[in-house]
Amino acid sequence: VIVYNRVWIPDNEEVWQSAEITKNYKAGDRFLLVQLEDGTELSYPVDPAALPPLRNPDILVGENDLTALSYLHEPAVLHNLKIRFVESKLIYTYSGIILVAINPYKQLPIYGDAIIHAYSGQNMGDMDPHIFAVAEEAYKQMARNNKNQSIIVSGESGAGKTVSARYTMRYFATVSKSSSKAHVEDKVLASNPITEAVGNAKTTRNDNSSRFGKYTEISFDRSYQIIGANMRTYLLEKSRVVFQSENERNYHIFYQLCASAMQPEYAHLKLGSAEEFNYTRMGGSTVIEGVDDRANMVETQKTFALLGLKGDFQMDVFKMLAAILHLGNVEIAAVGDERSSISSEDKHLSIFCELLDLNCDKMARWLCHRKIVTTSETVIKPMTRAQAANARDALAKKIYSHLFDFIVERINQALQFPGKQHTFIGVLDIYGFETFDVNSFEQFCINYANEKLQQQFNLHVFKLEQEEYMKEDIPWTLIDFYDNQPVIDLIEAKMGILELLDEECLLPHGKDENWLQKLYNNFVNKNALFEKPRMSNTSFIIQHFADKVEYKCEGFLEKNRDTVHEVLVEILKESKFHLCANFFQDSPVSISPFSSTINIKSARPALKSPNKQLRTTVGSKFRNSLSLLMVTLNATTPHYVRCIKPNDEKLPFEFDSKRVAQQLRACGVLETIRISAQSYPSRWTYIEFFSRYSILMTQQELSLNDKKQICKTVLQRLIQDHNQYQFGRTKIFFRAGQVAYLEKLRSDRLRQACILIQKRVRGWLQRRRFLSVRRAAVTVQQYFRGQRTVRQAITARNLKETWAAIIIQKYCRGYLVRRLCQLIHVAAVTIQAYTRGFLARKKYRKMREEQKAVILQKYARAWLARRRFQNIRRFVLNIQLSYRVQQLQKKIEEQSRENHGLLERLTNVASAHMNDVDTIQKLESELEKLTAQKRTYEEKEKKYKEDSEQKILKLENQNKELQEQKETLEIKLQEKTEEMKGTVTKGVHSEDLCILEKNFQNQKQDYEKEIELLKGEIKVLQEEKAQLQQQIQQEIITQDGLKMEVGQLTKQAQKIPELQKEIELLQTQKLDVEKQAQSQKRELREKMSEVTKQLLESYDFEDVRSRLSTEDLEHLNEDGELWFAYEGLKKATRVLESHFQSQKEIYEKEIEGLNFKVEHLSQDINHLQKLFREENDINDGIRLEVSRLTSENLVIPDLKQQVAELENQKLDLENRLQEQTMKLKGNGPTYDPIVLSQKMKRQDFISIFRSTEAQNEVDIKEKESLKNAIQGIEGLSNGLMQDEDQDEVQSKIKQVTTRLAVENMDLEEKLDMKDRIIKKLEDQIKTLTKTIEKAHAPTVPKEYIGMMEYKKEDEERIIQNLILDLKPRGVVVNMIPGLPAHILFMCVRYADYLNDADMLKSFMSATIDGIKQVVKVGAVLDCTVLYLLIFNTRFTRCICGTWGMPKLPFEFMKYNTPRQNKNCLKHFDLSEYRQILSDLAIRIYHQFIIVMENNIQHIIVPGMLEYESLQGISGLKPTGFRKRSSSIDDTDTYTMTSILQQLSYFYSTMCQNGLDSELLKQAVKQLFFLIGAVTLNSLFLRKDMCSCRKGMQIRCNISYLEEWLKDKNLQSSNAKETLEPLSQAAWLLQVKKITDDDAKEICEHCTSLSTVQIVKILNSYTPIDDFEKRVTPSFVRKVQGMLNNREDVPQLMLDTKHLFQVTFPFTPSPHALELIQVPSSFKLGFLTRV
């Protein structure tokens, strides 16, 4: 049997059928013996000149590109498409420059955004065929060449043209997102649903058939982003508005409108269901299964709104559509045979006129009549019922046509753009070649358009072939290809079919039959492309490029005219509905506002119509628009998509070979194949040829270095006929069948190698089996022969002899063994004795030697140690001597400088002494003034005393006079009472009583006047008292001034102690004055209290009451006098209560002030305690310094003498200070006098502090007593309100007033004392701090506390240098990780130390803004983003973790050192910035990941998939016209090593920059996920990569990645798990895929892959050699059935943009802030460390 002896023979059902030749064919044979695939044998008659086409090897079946097939012919193309579509479920296939798209009638998961991003940026041959690949090629050529592009999508109805065009537009909208906020891409995509609603309808072949052609220009700017679009439409099928065939529908918009008729906003349209209207129920199918017209209506309205076409516009459109539906329901009645009429009460006509605002009577009349205008008269002619119905339908078609054009015009206006168009990509969605049982004018125009497109396509293919040959320097031979120019001339040339049709349309009585007769007369037997049917006189046949088509002439003239009666047009012009009126204006607005922007010159001039009127016909319009389209397409680079309808039943993945073959012939795919097959159809690059056929090369040929020369040598040896191939510059061109021949040679060589290997292996196995069998046979023979000899030797005598021999042997052997054992025992003992002795002696010698050696070593080591010590001591002494000499020299120099300084100071002291003398004199004069002022004050006080005593005497005299008056009044009262009694007894008349009453009232008024005079005097006394208090306050102020002067004197007393005594005298005098003032105050208060007591006691109410009898009281009560007195007492009590209440409030305020002062004192005390502690530390340092200086003074006696002399001079100048210092030196031998004076001050301060504490305790007790007193006052006031007894009220008032007066005086004294103590403490604190700073500042060692001092105006410079301008590359190596973050935090600590909230907030805001600014800019991996990530994480930890809160949580504190915990912020809590910085850190991390992904993404697929890491396992196959980009040249290609090097670079960069290990692991995990996802996605979209060998390559590459993880110690990063889907996919490619067990194993093992992904890999599995088997569809279905129960996402592609959740672990900072140094490269010299 000959290999590859299969052919294709024609078949009536399958078009072509595969058969195998059973007998060699010889030249001249008339029959070919073949066997079909079902086993039947057949004798097939053949023509020797045209033998059956050969079948391609199985290895070439299922290719992505049909041009990769070795034998290019129709059956090979049909079979390849069928295998891909049915078995591999692949709907796209390349055929040279054409993309063949077969409609699957099923939703496929291959159009998501992930697929778009996968094809974006890829070359067309790198991925599986796809509509996105064509769109990407067009977009790339537009950007590369700055040339306009066109994508021509064609095919018959139901093939998927509209969907394909929609996907191309969606691809452009996704890839070229504009930066504007206009969302132009969304608007471009939104135009599709609108045009589909008004231009698509259900047909018998397609539920969503486009009934018009559409060319959409998508405009791009210079940055290749969408800025707008423009749409041109061709040949709308207007007849569908008024007529639909069975099972067809009108345009979708009518049914959407009827489905929404019940909604209130459409009530005025008066619509109903679609079954109620003639124009929508004609086809008998008003509903499409699975389509919701109401929901589609909502979607249509949304897309209208998205384009800016709001509700008013939409409602106008809907009114026009509703009017068309009502017009179709107008009933026309026949009136005889020649007339017709419409009832005036026709509901639908009235609604039609109402909606369009027309005259109903006129419309009813002129629908049934027509006006004929001649030169002489105008005739009104009635129409028959049929003519009137035609006129009505023509009007409906005209209105809908204008409405369609208007909607397209408004869409174009919405897609207008303000800028200038740079380039555009046009998408042509146009009808394919159509042939039906009855073909009319529409099919004629469609096929005419396809003839023009086919001509353009043929010329383009021919041009590409010519360019390819010229580019490769191959001699160009003329290729014969089909030219359809004669058919085009037949249709559009002068006196062609269209011109004759237009001519007939001009005739008033033109008929279809007359026009057809003209065609017969002009073309029958004159043009081979035109025929007359044999059995028909109403049709004609045209031989198109695809097939013969018979057209029926009926209706051609009517459809070409497309006329409406002028009277009806005039009625519509008169409509008050603006939209309707504008449709029928004489000069309509241009439909395409963009047509003027396209400046394209035609390659050949368009045909001009000889008559102007012909342009108004449909045919002439279509011809002109088609010419413009051809001009546009010729000016662009075309890309072709041919949509194929696999079956008429719309069944998913069902392949009807007849229908597909018919469409392939019609769409030009086979013509491309034929053109390619005529020359050199198979083309291989040298690299592909070398990789594929290196097995056919000899060792001598492989030894050459030039691969191109190797390929030439091999081909010249393998193919003797040099005409069968040509060598180009980069490719080898083969004739048809040569690749199959090379594949045969290759498979033969592989088969021979396999046979040889099998021979060797089988021989080795047989030899191995033979040897094992021989060994078994020998063993069997041995045992058999032994048994036989045993049987022969067994007798009685032999047994006895044998037994005797055995016994003798036993004893003999025992004796020999015992003897041998004794000899061995003796020898062993002897050997052991000598050996043990030898070992003992050796050990003894060794011990002695070791002991002596130890002794020697001891002495030697001691000597060496002493020697070394002496040398070191000498060396150290020399160094010390030299160092001390240097230090002494320095000290001498310093001492000389100090001497000069002391001399200067002596001069300064002398001058200061003179100044001090002057100041003393001034102070003496001031003291004299003060004494004089004191005397004046004393004199004033004496005067005040005398005046007050005089006033008191006056008051006492007045009191005496009042008492005397009181006594006289009492006497008078007694007399009057007696008189009253007498008058009562004697019977005094009423007139006397009245006189007595008047006298009593007069006396009462006199008493009241006297009381008022007394009150006035009391007020005068109170004013005098207030004046005295003011004078006392002025004295206190003067005394405060004296205190300030005394403070200044005390400061001067530190230099001149003599002034201290005078100051003490002044203080004592001051105290005396204060005591005198206080005593005067007390005396005055006591006198005032006595006066008040006397005034209160002067009115003895009990006395008066006792004197009056009950009757007097009754009379008094009757007269009202006693009541008046009682009311006066009540008013007095109320006044006293208000007075007590005001005093209570005053006391409460004073208590609050005292509390505040006490708190302030406690804070001052705490601060003083801190100062004391620091002073102790300073004193310790001073002591150490003094001890050091004394030791140095012992070394340098000369300097000591000089210092002593200088000190004596100083002591002479400061006499009293010398005496004190000498005394202190006597107490402590080496202490500094300044230190001792500070100690004494500290002891005084401690005593004062203790006294203040005791005083505070007293104050607290007094506070409590005051509170009790206030509570008592409140109780008294409440008692006064309730108690009605006058005596108790008066007594309680007296007690309270006296007690409050005393307590008020005591409180004033205590407040004065506390004010003095506070001032004294404040002065002492100031003096102590100043003395500490002056005395100990130069001696304290400089210690840093981890802060950076800066000014607020330096914020911008800090941020600029540390964040914006810092370039991490080069700097980061020399600094600790996160150093800028630590520096910034030190600045934050400084702001916290100052307790400046505004400064801190401003600095934090500037820092965050700086980080955000760098994040926006940093998009390349120059370590900027990585540096920023590390900076932000470190700064976040400082702010929110290590030091950022005054009181850190335990989980943070436990990681810190005590020093770090001490460096925490003191005043502010920055935890509020945690969320901001955390979000910023996540954002920077994501940007860092994106930067790394952008750097590695372009090398993943070449390294993981395309590069062959396992040498000798080649997976390359022929690729056809679309060459892989990686197969063009093997130089500068990316390998697996490139990926590993890039990963190592990332890893080293992250490590050098100090990225945390946890973040590093997460970044590596993200990168590994990207590698796995990108590789797996590319594998899904590359059928040529789905092979067993490629699975081995992928698995090897995964192992390299795992080794890299192990080498970097990153196994714990979980990065390996992210490669599990890819690993399982590689395993799936390698595993056996035949039996049920294999299917079960696949389902159990591939747990990380979804069902869609597993099925995709199985369908895409492609054998590389003939020895591999394809995966059968039954096996795929079996696996799919097992996986149905699995619940996973039906998603094919992995999301490469997926980012794992990132966690930022807390790691404490190992660096101490106080030890951080600022490098000079940071340029931060303006910062100072604190």
Side-chain angles (χ1 to χ4, degrees), residues 1137 1139-1152 1154-1155 1261-1280 1296 1299-1300 1303-1304 1307:
E1137 283 174 4
H1139 181 65
F1140 293 152
Q1141 193 70 25
S1142 61
Q1143 283 188 346
K1144 176 185 172 183
E1145 291 175 356
I1146 292 166
Y1147 293 149
E1148 285 178 352
K1149 290 179 182 178
E1150 289 176 351
I1151 288 164
E1152 288 177 358
L1154 288 170
N1155 290 331
K1261 291 179 181 177
E1262 289 178 355
K1263 261 173 63 178
E1264 291 176 355
S1265 63
L1266 282 171
K1267 286 180 181 179
N1268 296 327
I1270 291 162
Q1271 289 175 0
I1273 292 166
E1274 290 176 353
L1276 284 172
S1277 62
N1278 293 328
L1280 287 169
V1296 169
R1299 187 164 59 83
L1300 285 175
E1303 287 178 354
N1304 193 5
L1307 280 172

Side-chain angles (χ1 to χ4, degrees), residues 189-208:
L189 295 178
S191 64
N192 287 325
I194 298 173
T195 54
E196 288 179 15
V198 297
N200 288 25
K202 179 193 175 186
T203 63
T204 55
R205 296 186 176 184
N206 186 8
D207 291 341
N208 188 30

Side-chain angles (χ1 to χ4, degrees), residues 1123-1321:
W1123 174 255
F1124 289 146
Y1126 179 70
E1127 288 295 327
L1129 287 172
K1130 285 179 74 175
K1131 289 180 182 179
T1133 53
R1134 286 173 187 170
V1135 171
L1136 288 172
E1137 283 174 4
S1138 62
H1139 181 65
F1140 293 152
Q1141 193 70 25
S1142 61
Q1143 283 188 346
K1144 176 185 172 183
E1145 291 175 356
I1146 292 166
Y1147 293 149
E1148 285 178 352
K1149 290 179 182 178
E1150 289 176 351
I1151 288 164
E1152 288 177 358
L1154 288 170
N1155 290 331
F1156 177 76
K1157 289 182 179 180
V1158 169
E1159 290 176 359
H1160 187 66
L1161 281 171
S1162 62
Q1163 291 178 0
D1164 291 339
I1165 290 162
N1166 293 329
H1167 185 62
L1168 288 170
Q1169 288 176 350
K1170 290 181 182 177
L1171 289 173
F1172 285 146
R1173 291 170 191 162
E1174 292 176 358
E1175 186 182 4
N1176 290 329
D1177 297 333
I1178 293 165
N1179 289 333
D1180 295 333
I1182 292 169
R1183 290 169 187 167
L1184 294 172
E1185 189 70 15
V1186 169
S1187 61
R1188 186 177 64 78
L1189 289 171
T1190 51
S1191 61
E1192 290 179 357
N1193 287 334
L1194 294 172
V1195 179
I1196 310 167
D1198 297 333
L1199 291 173
K1200 188 177 178 181
Q1201 290 178 358
Q1202 293 177 3
V1203 170
E1205 291 174 359
L1206 291 170
E1207 285 180 354
N1208 291 327
Q1209 292 175 3
K1210 185 179 177 182
L1211 290 171
D1212 292 333
L1213 293 170
E1214 299 175 356
N1215 296 320
R1216 294 188 179 181
L1217 186 61
Q1218 267 185 355
E1219 292 174 359
Q1220 291 179 359
T1221 53
M1222 289 299 289
K1223 291 177 181 178
L1224 292 170
K1225 282 184 180 180
N1227 295 327
T1230 58
Y1231 288 97
D1232 197 351
I1234 298 169
V1235 178
L1236 293 173
S1237 63
Q1238 287 174 358
K1239 282 186 177 181
M1240 292 179 69
K1241 288 180 182 178
R1242 190 177 66 192
Q1243 290 173 359
D1244 295 338
F1245 193 78
I1246 289 167
S1247 62
I1248 293 165
F1249 172 72
R1250 289 174 180 170
S1251 64
T1252 53
E1253 283 184 344
Q1255 189 66 31
N1256 286 333
E1257 291 177 358
V1258 174
D1259 292 339
I1260 290 166
K1261 291 179 181 177
E1262 289 178 355
K1263 261 173 63 178
E1264 291 176 355
S1265 63
L1266 282 171
K1267 286 180 181 179
N1268 296 327
I1270 291 162
Q1271 289 175 0
I1273 292 166
E1274 290 176 353
L1276 284 172
S1277 62
N1278 293 328
L1280 287 169
M1281 293 295 291
Q1282 294 175 1
D1283 193 6
E1284 295 181 356
D1285 192 353
Q1286 298 176 358
D1287 300 333
E1288 291 180 0
V1289 169
Q1290 293 295 328
S1291 62
K1292 286 180 180 179
I1293 288 170
K1294 292 176 184 178
Q1295 293 175 4
V1296 169
T1297 50
T1298 53
R1299 187 164 59 83
L1300 285 175
V1302 175
E1303 287 178 354
N1304 193 5
M1305 293 169 61
D1306 295 334
L1307 280 172
E1308 286 179 356
E1309 291 177 0
K1310 288 175 182 176
L1311 284 172
D1312 293 336
M1313 290 295 292
K1314 285 185 178 179
D1315 289 334
R1316 293 170 193 163
I1317 292 167
I1318 288 164
K1319 288 180 181 179
K1320 190 173 182 181
L1321 289 171

Side-chain angles (χ1 to χ4, degrees), residues 152 245 277 287 309 420 592 701 788 824 952 1037 1065 1084 1191 1223 1556 1604:
I152 302 170
S245 301
F277 297 97
V287 179
L309 308 176
K420 186 178 180 182
S592 175
E701 291 169 345
R788 189 178 61 182
I824 291 169
I952 288 165
I1037 291 167
L1065 292 172
L1084 288 170
S1191 61
K1223 291 177 181 178
D1556 290 338
W1604 185 86

Side-chain angles (χ1 to χ4, degrees), residues 194-226:
I194 298 173
T195 54
E196 288 179 15
V198 297
N200 288 25
K202 179 193 175 186
T203 63
T204 55
R205 296 186 176 184
N206 186 8
D207 291 341
N208 188 30
S209 176
S210 296
R211 307 318 298 161
F212 69 103
K214 180 175 66 173
Y215 184 69
T216 305
E217 289 181 4
I218 303 172
S219 303
F220 297 85
D221 57 10
R222 291 191 173 273
S223 59
Y224 306 107
Q225 293 179 341
I226 293 179

Side-chain angles (χ1 to χ4, degrees), residues 4 56-63 692 743 746 1517-1518 1662-1666 1670:
Y4 300 109
N56 283 295
D58 288 339
I59 190 63
L60 297 178
V61 176
E63 283 298 312
R692 180 74 177 171
E743 286 294 320
R746 182 176 181 274
K1517 286 178 62 181
T1662 305
I1664 297 297
D1665 290 310
D1666 291 336
R1670 293 181 180 275

Side-chain angles (χ1 to χ4, degrees), residues 81-87 89-90 102 653-655:
L81 290 174
K82 184 176 181 180
I83 291 296
R84 288 177 63 83
F85 184 71
V86 177
E87 294 186 6
K89 300 293 186 292
L90 299 172
I102 305 176
F653 289 106
E654 288 292 329
F655 194 85

